[in-house]
Amino acid sequence: MKRFLKLMAISLVSILCMTFAGSILNGCDDLPTTSTGPIPNGKYIASPGNVYTFTNEKGIVDIERWEIKGDKAEYWADDYVAYKATIVERDDKIYFECYKWVDIWSVIACIGKSGTEAVFEVVYDDVSKSITVKYLFQN
């Protein structure tokens, strides 16, 4: 009986380790590395005084920001992804169409999917290399 319990414990730990490693490796492929969308890749940091304008910055930051990679965008707040979005061009306007997703943390916490379904209108200013984000609605 001891041997059986030990084997079960080792098997369970192995499965959890493989699941965790798989989710980390899968997470690395979520955002493309080349700019394929209407907004150049980069981290757009909240500008002082106006929380809705984000300026393109280089380097790693620990503050609120939109990260753009290809046709995908992620909104980070305090090292937590609050929104994941697809960048969509429609009627000569740019939108972040946010969606729900499943990750290892939402599975462990038994909360189901993370994030919300929302839509933001985005204006990219090529001169200042900034985006202005306007919340439209949530589904």
Side-chain angles (χ1 to χ4, degrees):
M1 184 67 170
K2 264 185 164 178
R3 182 181 167 123
F4 176 74
L5 290 175
K6 186 176 182 180
L7 182 62
M8 290 299 293
I10 291 172
S11 298
L12 182 60
V13 169
S14 297
I15 290 170
L16 288 174
C17 288
M18 288 187 299
T19 303
F20 184 72
S23 68
I24 288 174
L25 293 174
N26 184 34
C28 293
D29 292 336
D30 283 347
L31 297 177
T33 56
T34 58
S35 182
T36 57
I39 303 171
N41 287 350
K43 294 179 176 133
Y44 292 81
I45 312 305
S47 298
N50 186 352
V51 296
Y52 298 107
T53 300
F54 297 80
T55 306
N56 192 354
E57 298 285 338
K58 300 211 182 295
I60 299 173
V61 293
D62 293 331
I63 56 177
E64 294 181 23
R65 66 195 180 276
W66 280 97
E67 288 189 14
I68 310 295
K69 291 186 182 173
D71 65 343
K72 300 290 183 189
E74 292 180 348
Y75 180 76
W76 287 78
D78 297 324
D79 290 332
Y80 170 77
V81 179
Y83 296 105
K84 286 188 178 188
T86 301
I87 301 172
V88 177
E89 291 182 272
R90 204 172 36 244
D91 304 325
D92 294 328
K93 293 184 179 181
I94 303 169
Y95 298 96
F96 289 165
E97 293 186 348
C98 301
Y99 53 86
K100 294 183 177 187
W101 71 94
V102 175
D103 59 10
I104 188 67
W105 306 117
S106 56
V107 170
I108 290 172
C110 298
I111 59 172
K113 293 184 176 182
S114 297
T116 59
E117 295 175 338
V119 177
F120 295 89
E121 184 178 339
V122 182
V123 176
Y124 176 69
D125 183 0
D126 194 33
V127 174
S128 65
K129 306 291 186 213
S130 66
I131 57 175
T132 302
V133 180
K134 178 183 175 186
Y135 178 78
L136 293 181
F137 64 88
Q138 182 175 342
N139 292 342

